[in-house]
Amino acid sequence: MPDHASSLSRQTKRRRVDIGVKRTLGSVVFSRARENLLLNAMNQSHGPKQDGDCSLVPHSYGGSNGDGAKSNVLRKLLKRANSYEDAMMPFPGTTIISQLLKSNMGKNGDREGGFQGSGGLSSAGSDLQAEDVCSNSSRDRESPLSPSPSSPCLPPFVCPPLPPHPPLTPLDLERLTDEHLRAKRARVENIIRGMSHSPCVAPENRERDCPPLENKRKQRLPQQQQSFTQLVCVRQEKRQEERRQLKLQLEDMQKQLRQLQEKGGRGGEEDGNQSEDSVRSDGLEDRHRDHHGNHNRANRIHGDLSELLDDPGLFLERARALLREQALLDGEREEDEREEGEREGREERGTMRAEGRQLAETLKQELNSAMSQVVDTVASFPPFPPSLTTDSQSPIFHSANQRLPCFGDVIIPSPLDSFVGLSVPTASDQTEALPLVVRKTNANPQHRNPSLPPPYPHHPSLHPSPLSASLGFSPPSFRHPFSLPLMGYPFQSFPKDQRSPPESMDLSRETVGLRTKMGSGGGIHFVSHHHHHRQSTPPQHGGGSEGLSLIKSECGELQDMADISPYSGSTIQEGLSPNHLKKAKLMFFYSRYPSSNMLKTFFSDVKFNRCITSQLIKWFSNFREFYYIQMEKFARQAINEGVTTNEDLSVGRESELFRALNMHYNKANDFEVPERFLEVAQITLREFFNAIVAGKDVDPSWKKAIYKVICKLDSEMPEVFKSPNCLQDLLHE
DNA sequence: TGGTCGCCTG
DNA sequence: CAGGCGACCA
């Protein structure tokens, strides 16, 4: 065996084995058949060799060859996919979060108590929470939370990890508010995290498994965390806004309280004997007391404010307590001014009490609305990092658009539809090698830890959130943001019952692969480059004579510019999908040497350019290569086994040779290979056999003659293959 | 010179 | 399966 096998590979010098046969569509119909010799006897004489016999005789393959087995597998896979689908229910939406928070607030409860009880810890705790968000994504990059102003933020997501404190006058107040807000934020985030985790995983997994759009865009950057960072930044902006609003509320509240206080306790600038949870512990009092200089006091005050902000009910209580205090003070004052008449004093107290109640009510309402606002703001974030908001990210937007153009080709009626037929097989369902270079790039998000659970495609907010609404103008590529990396591989196992979606997805995967490679020099420069081209040049190049590099670049650009309008209803794709590959393989059963025109005819759903054409040609070239290698291998095997005449060789459906070929071109065995292919294979095998036996293989170009023969044996391609959906038709039976 | 093909390699 | 390359043809 080794003797022949060794000669199989090396030919010192490259020989042009180009057969130079003009390939035309209606290729020769080779007069079928000459030999029908089935040499079962021979097989017996040699005995069953493990993988030795290239010939005829059925081993056990016939059993597994049954038609039933093939489709069952597919059905199973589809079922599994459906079950995944079921699992990924749409998120309840933001309202639930709001309600949850509200009810939580109303409960005045448990968690709140525990939280405020922790006093100083609270702020630390909230810091931790806040840090949580960042740390998962950016810790290894650099400590983004370090307050050092020098810590560079990634442009264009210019956003400090923690919002800087505005240098406003009531400094203490500001700090208190800030801390309080962070604590609140932490709670909200907890809730959100808890919700969004349900099907998913740990934060880092979520980040990786559900990478939004720009994951592709920045494949070249030190990225992977950027989208998350972006989310954090956006959130922080929101929070700053929310903080400002709350601060305003708080100041307003302070004013009113001050008024109340002044009305009530004009005379009594009472001292430290006041109960410490008095609402009056605001800046005014602080001024009086802080010369005692303890921060404990400030902390306690802070805690009080936090509490009160947290809980309108509690606030009311405090307000009442205040009123009582004031009443007491009034009482004291009355004792001093007894002569002035009790009646008057009572009236005053009465009005004050009414005023206080009114004030409390007002404050309560304001607090409620403020809280609702805050909660809605926080909770209206889509479950996954929106990759773009608006202005500051428009360049990113463009870049993403440029780098994911392939999705532009994908015709997806609606964002939801893109998930309808979605199946999420596990990584093991990837059975075929992928075209282009997808797997070669580490940056490819498909390179996930295999131990991770299968990625669940999360619905992008089914109910458009404010933010997602802002995505309304987003290009098709953003239609299914996270789908790309997530759905990376799996579709070719689902040729059935799926119309365009899988193919579209596959396309995206593939073109992304191409893009990845093409743009590997990429980064921002790449992006802008393409942006420029997008604006200025049509997909077709003006027939200039670019060098190879330009051609490559063009390929990338053409991919990039893939810009079929999602509304056009056209199904023309700019890239070749795994389904196209599968189709090409099936076509190989009929034609080993398809012409370019033929390819264009039969891949009519692909927008042809030089890249696509050569890729298709390359595919068939690779198919041939494998085919001929098998032929040579089995021919040599037969010779080794003592076969002396080519008539001893035949290729049947159960032969090892056919099995090998079928595994390659028809892995799922869901296509019935035409008989003609068996004949051609047999002829090829015999040609190789003859040549080797004749010792022609000493000639470096000895295969050329064989190729010349084989290229004439192409059959006519069935019309079915002209249909873009031919796979469904072909594989269904 | 562009289009192919096949070989080799990764 | 894709890239690179040399070879060949029109």
Side-chain angles (χ1 to χ4, degrees), chain A residues 225-449:
Chain A
Q225 281 94 5
Q226 295 203 0
S227 59
F228 204 73
T229 307
Q230 202 174 348
L231 168 69
V232 173
C233 290
V234 172
R235 278 192 180 181
Q236 285 171 348
E237 281 177 14
K238 289 278 175 185
R239 282 176 201 140
Q240 265 188 318
E241 176 62 296
E242 128 199 357
R243 178 180 304 128
R244 272 193 292 277
Q245 289 182 358
L246 273 180
K247 186 177 164 244
L248 285 179
Q249 306 267 348
L250 192 59
E251 285 174 352
D252 195 32
M253 202 169 65
Q254 281 180 334
K255 263 183 207 163
Q256 300 192 39
L257 281 173
R258 211 170 299 145
Q259 289 174 0
L260 180 66
Q261 183 181 343
E262 284 171 4
K263 279 187 181 176
R266 186 160 297 155
E269 305 275 7
E270 72 291 338
D271 283 335
N273 58 354
Q274 276 297 329
S275 81
E276 299 214 343
D277 43 4
S278 162
V279 185
R280 285 171 295 171
S281 49
D282 60 9
L284 275 180
E285 262 75 22
D286 287 347
R287 277 205 300 272
H288 290 282
R289 299 194 188 102
D290 269 2
H291 65 272
H292 289 280
N294 53 19
H295 288 287
N296 289 339
R297 173 67 177 174
N299 283 340
R300 285 193 297 267
I301 292 168
H302 165 221
D304 292 340
L305 284 175
S306 302
E307 280 177 39
L308 294 177
L309 267 181
D310 272 341
D311 190 347
L314 185 58
F315 176 81
L316 277 181
E317 274 185 19
R318 299 293 168 82
R320 286 194 200 100
L322 172 62
L323 287 175
R324 281 196 295 273
E325 281 181 13
Q326 286 163 346
L328 273 178
L329 287 174
D330 287 348
E332 290 173 6
R333 196 172 50 186
E334 278 171 13
E335 282 188 347
D336 290 340
E337 311 169 353
R338 210 165 280 171
E339 299 86 356
E340 295 193 2
E342 298 180 10
R343 198 178 198 95
E344 196 178 337
R346 264 195 212 112
E347 278 177 6
E348 189 176 316
R349 283 200 300 272
T351 52
M352 276 183 47
R353 196 165 289 128
E355 273 183 11
R357 205 158 282 147
Q358 196 179 358
L359 168 62
E361 284 301 322
T362 306
L363 289 177
K364 181 182 175 186
Q365 284 177 359
E366 286 184 1
L367 280 170
N368 267 332
S369 68
M371 285 314 300
S372 304
Q373 214 172 344
V374 168
V375 167
D376 287 345
T377 304
V378 175
S380 63
F381 279 95
F384 299 97
S387 64
L388 47 118
T389 48
T390 43
D391 42 3
S392 71
Q393 311 195 352
S394 55
I396 296 152
F397 172 85
H398 284 303
S399 67
N401 188 17
Q402 295 297 327
R403 302 207 82 188
L404 297 174
C406 38
F407 307 123
D409 308 336
V410 179
I411 307 308
I412 297 168
S414 83
L416 293 186
D417 289 350
S418 65
F419 292 96
V420 168
L422 176 62
S423 40
V424 188
T426 60
S428 62
D429 290 321
Q430 167 64 25
T431 54
E432 290 185 44
L434 295 174
L436 295 173
V437 283
V438 182
R439 281 188 291 194
K440 290 183 180 175
T441 9
N442 284 337
N444 194 311
Q446 290 159 359
H447 285 259
R448 66 161 42 90
N449 186 342

Side-chain angles (χ1 to χ4, degrees), chain A residues 705-726:
Chain A
I706 302 177
Y707 298 156
K708 204 167 182 175
V709 171
I710 303 306
C711 77
K712 295 176 184 170
L713 302 183
D714 280 5
S715 309
E716 201 160 339
M717 194 67 65
E719 291 289 314
V720 208
F721 284 95
K722 287 184 179 174
S723 161
N725 289 327
C726 65

Side-chain angles (χ1 to χ4, degrees), chain A residues 683-712:
Chain A
I683 295 171
T684 312
L685 178 64
R686 291 181 176 183
E687 288 292 333
F688 270 92
F689 179 89
N690 291 340
I692 296 172
V693 165
K696 291 179 183 175
D697 57 343
V698 296
D699 180 0
S701 59
W702 64 283
K703 294 176 184 171
K704 180 177 175 178
I706 302 177
Y707 298 156
K708 204 167 182 175
V709 171
I710 303 306
C711 77
K712 295 176 184 170

Side-chain angles (χ1 to χ4, degrees), chain A residues 610-674:
Chain A
R610 272 183 283 176
C611 262
I612 300 297
T613 306
S614 30
Q615 190 183 357
L616 271 172
I617 290 175
K618 184 66 177 177
W619 280 358
F620 277 87
S621 174
N622 287 331
F623 299 161
R624 283 194 300 271
E625 192 170 13
F626 178 82
Y627 175 83
Y628 287 129
I629 286 175
Q630 297 303 309
M631 292 300 167
E632 184 179 357
K633 173 178 148 190
F634 279 91
R636 293 186 185 278
Q637 234 169 55
I639 294 172
N640 274 347
E641 292 166 6
V643 176
T644 54
T645 166
N646 66 9
E647 295 180 350
D648 289 347
L649 299 175
S650 77
V651 176
R653 293 185 186 270
E654 285 79 34
S655 65
E656 289 292 328
L657 175 56
F658 177 77
R659 286 181 61 178
L661 296 174
N662 197 51
M663 272 305 288
H664 194 70
Y665 310 115
N666 182 27
K667 185 168 287 184
N669 198 29
D670 47 8
F671 176 75
E672 186 175 348
V673 179

